[in-house]
Amino acid sequence: MKKILVPIKMVLDANMRPRVKADGTGIDLSGMKLSINPFCEIAVEEAVRLKEKGLAEQVVAISIGPAKAQDSLRQALAMGADSARLIETDGPIEPLAVAKLIRMVVDEEKPELVILGKQAVDDDCNQTGQMLAALLDWPQATFASALRVEGTVVHVTREVDGGHQTLSLPLPAVVTTDLRLNEPRHCSLPNIMKARKKALDVTPVAACGVDTVPRLKVLGVKPPEPRKAGRRVADVSELVGDLRAAGAI
Amino acid sequence: MPHYKAPVEDMMFLLRDVFRVQDIFAELPEQKENDLEIISSILEEAGKFCSEILYPLNAAGDIEGCRLENGIVRTPKGFAEAWKAFSEAGWGGLSAPTEYGGQNLPRTVQILVDEMLSGSNLSFGLFPGLTRGACEAIEAHASQALKDTYLPNMVSGVWTGAMALTEGNAGSDLGLLKATATPRADGSWTVTGSKIFISSGDHDMAENVIHLVLARIPDAPAGTKGISLFLCPKILVNADGTLGARNAISVGALEHKMGIHAQPTCVMNYDGCQGWMVGEPNRGLAAMFTMMNAERLFVGVQGLGVADASCQTALAYARERMQGRSPDRAGTVPIIAHADVRRTLLSMQSFIEAARAMVVYTALEMDREKFHPDATIRQRAGENVALLTPVIKAALTDFGFEAAVAGQQVLGGHGYIREWGQEQYVRDARIAMIYEGTNGIQAQDLVIRKLTLAEGLPVRSYFAQIRQTLAVAAAHSNAAPLAEPLGAALDLLEGVTTRLISGDLAGPDDRNAAAVDYLRLFALVSFGWMWVRMVLACAPGQPLPDALVQHKRAAATFFMQRVLPQATALSQQISAGAGSIMALPDELF
């Protein structure tokens, strides 16, 4: 195939402890370490491996988010993507709007395969890939743990509740990745240096003509209640009494 | 369980907020493209490599150690594969010139990666460190033919380097060395001698080992002015670049030592091997010393890296280990609740973070010295580096060892047994106080040579820079309370400095006796300076995580209140002079 498109998202680094903003409107990201979403990193790795096997000619990474998301795109370029595009927006953006923006890029770039992370570790929406497939009217295979391209067909093994399911999809298609699909590589120093010379095109979201107005209203964000201190009970009957009083049994 | 995570966030805080390297690199034509984004990517990736590939080999390598089998050194399981991965990822060429396959990145980035190498696996880190040192000596002094033959394969990690200086009777005083070199008809030399303590002297990780050997040519003057430097490959290189016959170089033994067990420290025999002179006859020691500042900065960073690794484990342990009670918390508490454990952790952190800042400050001066277009700035920066090199080398390894011991102490009995890795850090950290010039020698270098360097201008400028920060800090509510004790300590330091240069302590015995205490005092004031600068960088309005700002302010206050007071005692010790030390006859010790 000629081209694989890999949409990626920049998220709060999984090792950082999230802090809720003082006004309760969301998570405070100022000064925090932001990284490429782990599922998206797996998507980039898979696309680059297909290219290295000679099954794809070009890998394009795309992100929708703030200017800082260029860092995540540079990482995708260092891993082996050929070029990158950022659709820049500072506002809140929801999966449907993201899927529409990706569809717009698909129309322009004409990839045969789109590989995305199955979800982002910040909001865990797990929607964008499915919405994109529906908007494009392409076949989709989500939660991929193995992927094999054979001519114009992609065979995808999915992790489902009952075990593994293997689907064969005619290209073009949308695939979303699960954690076991691969282990992303360590970038080499020369590739990190080369990545900054690769094309990274930035388009403001306003120039895309896509409605990105949020459909959801955030009522409030608060951290989980801290666990209350425990209490030692004297015997089983006191325990049962307390559980009853708490309405637990 | 023990772990190691590269402190990239703290490193970026130093680069971006404290030292504003973006402004400094903008003045250096060869470095101006290296912005914070690319540096951050590099440190992130290097950190991943160190914690995911090198750190898991650290404890296993220590247990297995190196073996000498039929004259061949075998490194522990996994080291050869890790070296291959390290080299293929291009890490060995980070700061090497582009013409030999490197990336020509700044020393500042190199030294931070060196910290990660040291923290994750010191034994491994010495392989690339020594190879780089050898490359720098070859690049600065060897003929173009030697550079073309050896540098590309050394930069890429296909071959590694070793430095052969020490002999049985020539350690700190290299003027006593006896290895010889006699000329051959083709312009090369026959090198003969026995060397000890040769790190990475031989191994099974790469195809060839390039030894830089100090030896005397016929009729050389006695002492240090009669030493020349020779490049002696383990396997001779043919004219077409392929490997040829084995050179007459062999491993006599592996040293049995306290730590860095995965690092092959060899007794090397050069039995009439073929070598090529690097630089001019009898100028070998000078050639070696051109890269000595960089090597000593690297060794200082080893003390820092191991201290940080020990601190990370100690901190994780202190958060989880439930023992004892605390006045204001219910039930059994994690030991981090106890004031004494907190004191121990803060004593480590207040050293580690200030030391890292000091390393960045010094490495930036090295980058100015190498890359700045203005010759005067290059000269000044070089003198500042010369002044600070012994301080970095000795203070970071002395305090680093103390921090490793403190990290061991936090774990109690679990720090003494092997499982948690803390006792390995103590053993590994010990060597950095000894090699590359013992810390006693470093202190002599500081007091006897560096204080009077360039008529004392470097030391005066250095103190003036600290005064400048103190003046700025006086106007900041968070920094002013820190500036006051630092100002008092600086007064003490300046006082004894004047007396050591030209006052009542300027005699040879008084200087010699004062040196170690003086270096420690100098380091404490320098760390204090770094703390004030870090707190200034945390001024309100900076987009920094609240946790980082709170941590820096608390650690800075701890340092001023509970570490810096040592300055008073040190100043008194120095002022006592050499009398009590020299009075006792040798035989009555």
Side-chain angles (χ1 to χ4, degrees):
Chain A
M1 73 187 100
K2 285 222 175 307
K3 198 183 276 187
I4 303 175
L5 185 70
V6 186
I8 63 174
K9 185 177 185 184
M10 181 187 65
V11 297
L12 177 66
D13 187 85
N15 294 312
M16 302 292 282
R17 190 175 304 171
R19 280 170 197 276
V20 174
K21 283 185 195 163
D23 61 4
T25 56
I27 302 294
D28 187 3
L29 295 179
S30 67
M32 300 292 268
K33 187 180 162 198
L34 304 171
S35 302
I36 186 168
N37 174 42
F39 291 101
C40 300
E41 200 179 0
I42 291 168
V44 175
E45 177 67 31
E46 197 63 22
V48 171
R49 285 188 192 184
L50 289 172
K51 187 191 160 183
E52 286 169 348
K53 282 185 207 148
L55 294 166
E57 287 173 23
Q58 207 188 347
V59 175
V60 179
I62 165 184
S63 190
I64 293 139
K68 181 101 178 86
Q70 291 185 40
D71 294 353
S72 293
L73 287 169
R74 289 280 172 215
Q75 195 194 333
L77 293 171
M79 289 174 74
D82 298 282
S83 62
R85 293 182 59 169
L86 174 67
I87 297 178
E88 192 178 336
T89 171
D90 286 321
I93 191 140
E94 290 171 2
L96 184 61
V98 172
K100 286 178 181 169
L101 287 162
I102 298 173
R103 177 180 60 176
M104 184 201 82
V105 175
V106 167
D107 289 344
E108 289 172 19
E109 299 276 346
K110 308 215 181 319
E112 286 96 327
L113 184 61
V114 181
I115 310 181
L116 313 83
K118 73 169 182 179
Q119 67 195 72
V121 296
D122 50 1
D123 54 20
D124 281 337
C125 279
N126 193 343
Q127 296 168 347
T128 306
Q130 295 88 328
M131 287 173 169
L132 175 67
L135 288 169
L136 289 168
D137 196 22
W138 285 8
Q140 60 173 303
T142 53
F143 313 160
S145 64
L147 186 155
R148 191 163 52 85
V149 173
E150 211 173 47
T152 56
V153 177
V154 55
H155 305 281
V156 178
T157 303
R158 308 179 59 226
E159 299 196 347
V160 295
D161 287 347
H164 287 129
Q165 176 191 46
T166 301
L167 300 177
S168 297
L169 291 69
L171 295 174
V174 174
V175 175
T176 75
T177 63
D178 216 322
L179 277 185
R180 275 161 290 273
L181 180 58
N182 60 51
E183 201 170 311
R185 69 193 58 200
H186 290 105
C187 298
S188 75
L189 180 61
N191 284 345
I192 296 171
M193 302 302 285
K194 276 182 214 146
R196 66 176 167 178
K197 301 247 188 319
K198 291 183 181 175
L200 198 167
D201 182 61
V202 181
T203 316
V205 75
C208 295
V210 170
D211 173 16
T212 60
V213 175
R215 265 62 172 173
L216 304 173
K217 196 172 151 197
V218 177
L219 299 178
V221 177
K222 52 182 183 176
E225 289 288 328
R227 203 176 138 198
K228 294 198 177 81
R231 183 170 68 82
R232 193 177 288 274
V233 293
D235 50 30
V236 172
S237 59
E238 188 185 344
L239 174 64
V240 172
D242 282 2
L243 288 173
R244 282 229 170 84
I249 50 173
Chain B
M1 285 309 287
H3 73 297
Y4 175 77
K5 185 172 170 290
V8 177
E9 197 195 356
D10 196 50
M11 291 171 170
M12 290 308 296
F13 164 69
L14 293 172
L15 298 176
R16 180 188 56 229
D17 302 293
V18 180
F19 294 104
R20 300 179 178 279
V21 296
Q22 58 276 34
D23 301 342
I24 297 174
F25 290 162
E27 291 173 8
L28 313 176
E30 284 181 52
Q31 298 299 344
K32 63 173 186 269
E33 282 183 22
N34 291 319
D35 54 21
L36 287 168
E37 283 69 35
I38 191 86
I39 294 172
S40 162
S41 313
I42 292 166
L43 294 179
E44 283 290 343
E45 270 315 304
K48 265 193 236 171
F49 190 94
C50 289
S51 55
E52 292 171 19
I53 295 182
L54 300 182
Y55 176 71
L57 298 173
N58 191 40
D62 177 61
I63 293 166
E64 186 182 339
C66 292
R67 300 180 311 284
L68 185 60
E69 288 174 357
N70 302 321
I72 298 164
V73 173
R74 302 284 177 203
T75 53
K77 190 164 170 288
F79 269 58
E81 291 79 6
W83 177 257
K84 191 162 174 280
F86 180 87
S87 301
E88 283 175 359
W91 293 114
L94 197 144
S95 55
T98 42
E99 56 186 307
Y100 301 113
Q103 300 292 343
N104 195 38
L105 282 158
R107 175 75 59 183
T108 310
V109 177
Q110 176 70 61
I111 204 70
L112 292 173
V113 173
D114 287 342
E115 186 200 322
M116 302 176 190
L117 288 170
S118 307
S120 58
N121 196 325
L122 180 56
S123 290
F124 183 94
L126 292 176
F127 286 99
L130 286 156
T131 302
R132 182 175 71 241
C135 284
E136 286 172 6
I138 292 169
E139 203 221 334
H141 300 286
S143 67
Q144 194 58 45
L146 285 179
K147 291 186 206 180
D148 293 342
T149 306
Y150 292 95
L151 286 179
N153 278 332
M154 293 176 77
V155 167
S156 67
V158 175
W159 302 340
T160 68
M163 317 276 220
L165 286 73
T166 306
E167 295 177 10
N169 288 313
S172 298
D173 188 354
L174 284 170
L176 300 172
L177 71 80
K178 291 198 169 67
T180 60
T182 50
R184 295 189 185 194
D186 65 356
S188 68
W189 297 74
T190 297
V191 178
T192 304
S194 220
K195 299 278 179 178
I196 60 170
F197 303 165
I198 309 308
S199 301
S200 309
D202 193 50
H203 55 82
D204 54 359
M205 305 193 329
E207 293 170 4
N208 205 356
V209 182
I210 313 305
H211 297 252
L212 290 183
V213 185
L214 288 179
R216 292 182 181 284
I217 57 174
D219 306 320
T224 53
K225 294 201 164 58
I227 297 171
S228 306
L229 183 62
F230 298 90
L231 184 157
C232 307
K234 170 181 162 182
I235 300 172
L236 295 166
V237 180
N238 297 323
D240 63 358
T242 57
L243 293 179
R246 187 69 203 250
N247 206 353
I249 298 178
S250 60
V251 184
L254 277 175
E255 309 281 9
H256 299 276
K257 55 196 192 290
M258 176 177 176
I260 52 169
H261 288 158
Q263 164 59 229
T265 311
C266 301
V267 174
M268 295 301 310
N269 294 319
Y270 305 90
D271 299 314
C273 73
Q274 190 175 15
W276 287 264
M277 190 183 281
V278 174
E280 291 168 37
N282 299 326
R283 300 276 302 148
L285 212 51
M288 275 291 197
F289 269 90
T290 54
M291 41 119 208
M292 207 59 100
N293 286 340
E295 282 299 300
R296 288 180 171 170
L297 184 68
F298 172 47
V299 175
V301 154
Q302 295 169 19
L304 165 62
V306 174
D308 187 43
S310 173
C311 185
Q312 289 189 25
T313 299
L315 182 59
Y317 185 87
R319 288 191 202 286
E320 285 175 12
R321 173 74 169 170
M322 305 295 289
Q323 292 284 290
R325 311 220 158 218
S326 142
D328 52 353
R329 300 186 205 192
T332 306
V333 295
I335 59 170
I336 197 169
H338 303 304
D340 182 60
V341 174
R342 301 167 77 83
R343 176 193 62 77
T344 310
L345 292 170
L346 277 168
S347 72
M348 298 170 81
Q349 292 183 329
S350 66
F351 153 67
I352 289 165
E353 292 162 36
R356 187 175 291 132
M358 211 41 216
V359 163
V360 171
Y361 170 81
T362 311
L364 283 169
E365 289 287 78
M366 293 182 84
D367 284 328
R368 281 201 187 91
E369 180 189 9
K370 184 172 176 188
F371 295 112
H372 204 286
D374 182 333
T376 314
I377 291 177
R378 284 203 303 273
Q379 163 98 14
R380 293 274 172 277
E383 287 166 358
N384 201 15
V385 170
L387 171 71
L388 296 176
T389 296
V391 180
I392 294 275
K393 194 280 177 184
L396 267 59
T397 57
D398 278 350
F399 283 93
F401 175 73
E402 289 167 26
V405 172
Q408 179 184 36
Q409 192 74 12
V410 168
L411 275 75
H414 294 284
Y416 194 68
I417 61 169
R418 190 189 267 172
E419 187 183 352
W420 281 83
Q422 296 296 76
E423 57 89 33
Q424 184 192 346
Y425 293 139
V426 172
R427 288 184 287 104
D428 285 359
R430 194 65 184 80
I431 184 57
M433 301 158 74
I434 297 170
Y435 61 21
E436 206 64 39
T438 66
N439 287 359
I441 293 285
Q442 301 300 323
Q444 302 300 320
D445 178 43
L446 174 65
V447 171
I448 293 164
R449 293 182 57 231
K450 300 300 170 61
L451 291 186
T452 50
L453 185 74
E455 279 88 48
L457 178 65
V459 73
R460 283 198 305 277
S461 322
Y462 184 71
F463 293 157
Q465 283 188 59
I466 304 179
R467 292 262 176 235
Q468 222 170 356
T469 304
L470 290 174
V472 174
H476 285 257
S477 60
N478 286 309
L482 308 171
E484 202 179 320
L486 179 61
L490 178 58
D491 290 343
L492 294 174
L493 175 61
E494 285 194 299
V496 291
T497 303
T498 311
R499 292 167 68 195
L500 284 165
I501 291 175
S502 56
D504 61 319
L505 297 171
D509 283 341
D510 286 328
R511 282 180 169 183
N512 198 320
V516 164
D517 289 332
Y518 178 81
L519 187 144
R520 199 173 175 91
L521 173 58
F522 195 108
L524 285 175
V525 170
S526 301
F527 294 159
W529 180 34
M530 292 297 122
W531 273 118
V532 174
R533 292 187 65 165
M534 285 191 275
V535 168
L536 283 171
C538 290
Q542 296 297 319
L544 289 167
D546 196 39
L548 183 143
V549 173
Q550 279 187 45
H551 172 87
K552 291 293 174 194
R553 286 180 185 155
T557 306
F558 174 90
F559 183 85
M560 296 303 172
Q561 295 182 356
R562 302 194 60 106
V563 182
L564 193 59
Q566 292 168 23
T568 308
L570 289 166
S571 149
Q572 284 177 15
Q573 288 161 222
I574 296 162
S575 300
S580 65
I581 295 172
M582 301 311 291
L584 193 66
D586 292 0
E587 61 274 20
L588 296 185
F589 268 78

